[in-house]
Amino acid sequence: AFFLHVPGLKVVAPSSANAAARLLRAAIQDPDPVLFFEHKLLYDVEEAWCDRRDSGVLGVARRLRRGKDVTIVAYSRGVSLALDAAEILEGQGVSAEIIDLQTLAPLDVETCAHSVEKTGRLLLVSEDCARGGVAAIIEADLSKRVFDFLRAPIIRVSAQDVPVPGGRELEDMVMVSSEQIVEQASLLVENY
């Protein structure tokens, strides 16, 4: 997460092929340096191609799903995990609002804060490690803005703080899953 501490550097983490196309156009047109992170597990994900030539906007998050009980903020592959979790949560009577950050720097605090003002609960999803990772930095930035609206502590769903092992089966044991998001969001809503 060291790259989030460089003033003037913009950091992009798209959640889909269409988002990547829009944000890549914006990154190319931007006069500032931009780091563009693509998640390797998103390369095989199929979606309908949106052949729009418009550019995305760096520093602006997107609300992908409306909800009233909990705000789930994610980026990159975490967005698809959060959307899957929101479907499961809906079946349990929990309405989750999903925010796709799209860019980690600059961070769109306003979009996230407006959502938390409504729900009173915030769950951050990041495949980075929990300690000192991207979610920790996002939590620090958002907590200042949303503190007065929180009815519960901010929860982070992140990868375990261990080296990522080799092999897909072992890797899955360390990384974030939709089930973990469902479990933490349910606890957040039930207990607070």
Side-chain angles (χ1 to χ4, degrees):
F2 68 90
F3 48 80
L4 294 178
H5 301 291
V6 180
L9 186 63
K10 295 182 179 175
V11 181
V12 177
S15 60
S16 68
N18 285 316
R22 283 193 319 275
L23 293 167
L24 187 57
R25 284 188 203 100
I28 291 168
Q29 294 168 0
D30 198 281
D32 295 322
V34 179
L35 290 179
F36 200 92
F37 290 100
E38 296 177 341
H39 197 295
K40 66 181 181 180
L41 295 180
L42 291 177
Y43 289 152
D44 293 335
V45 176
E46 294 183 19
E47 69 175 335
W49 178 245
C50 182
D51 193 22
R52 295 184 350 214
R53 296 289 177 192
D54 62 331
S55 292
V57 180
L58 301 184
V60 177
R62 295 176 65 211
R63 181 177 38 226
L64 300 181
R65 181 185 174 107
R66 294 191 181 276
K68 61 180 177 47
D69 297 322
V70 62
T71 298
I72 301 176
V73 174
Y75 64 94
S76 192
R77 182 172 171 259
V79 172
S80 59
L81 297 174
L83 288 167
D84 291 344
E87 291 294 324
I88 297 167
L89 288 165
E90 187 174 354
Q92 299 174 358
V94 176
S95 174
E97 182 147 304
I98 307 296
I99 305 292
D100 177 2
L101 287 176
Q102 298 192 111
T103 55
L104 305 177
L107 184 64
D108 185 357
V109 174
E110 289 304 311
T111 298
C112 299
H114 287 306
S115 179
V116 175
E117 286 174 19
K118 180 174 56 173
T119 66
R121 299 176 187 92
L122 175 59
L123 190 143
L124 300 170
V125 177
S126 172
E127 287 192 307
D128 197 2
C129 56
R131 231 185 137 105
V134 173
I137 295 168
I138 294 169
E139 180 180 357
D141 288 347
L142 288 178
S143 64
K144 292 181 279 189
R145 176 66 169 76
V146 302
F147 183 79
D148 292 334
F149 304 103
L150 290 172
R151 296 191 310 225
I154 298 172
I155 301 295
R156 280 186 255 157
V157 177
S158 300
Q160 296 181 31
D161 286 325
V162 298
V164 178
R168 182 70 180 170
E169 191 173 308
L170 291 173
E171 185 178 312
D172 287 344
M173 294 172 64
V174 172
M175 300 308 290
V176 174
S177 68
S178 296
E179 292 78 19
Q180 291 171 318
I181 298 169
V182 169
E183 178 185 344
Q184 292 301 314
S186 298
L187 290 171
L188 199 57
V189 172
E190 289 170 13
N191 295 331
Y192 299 98

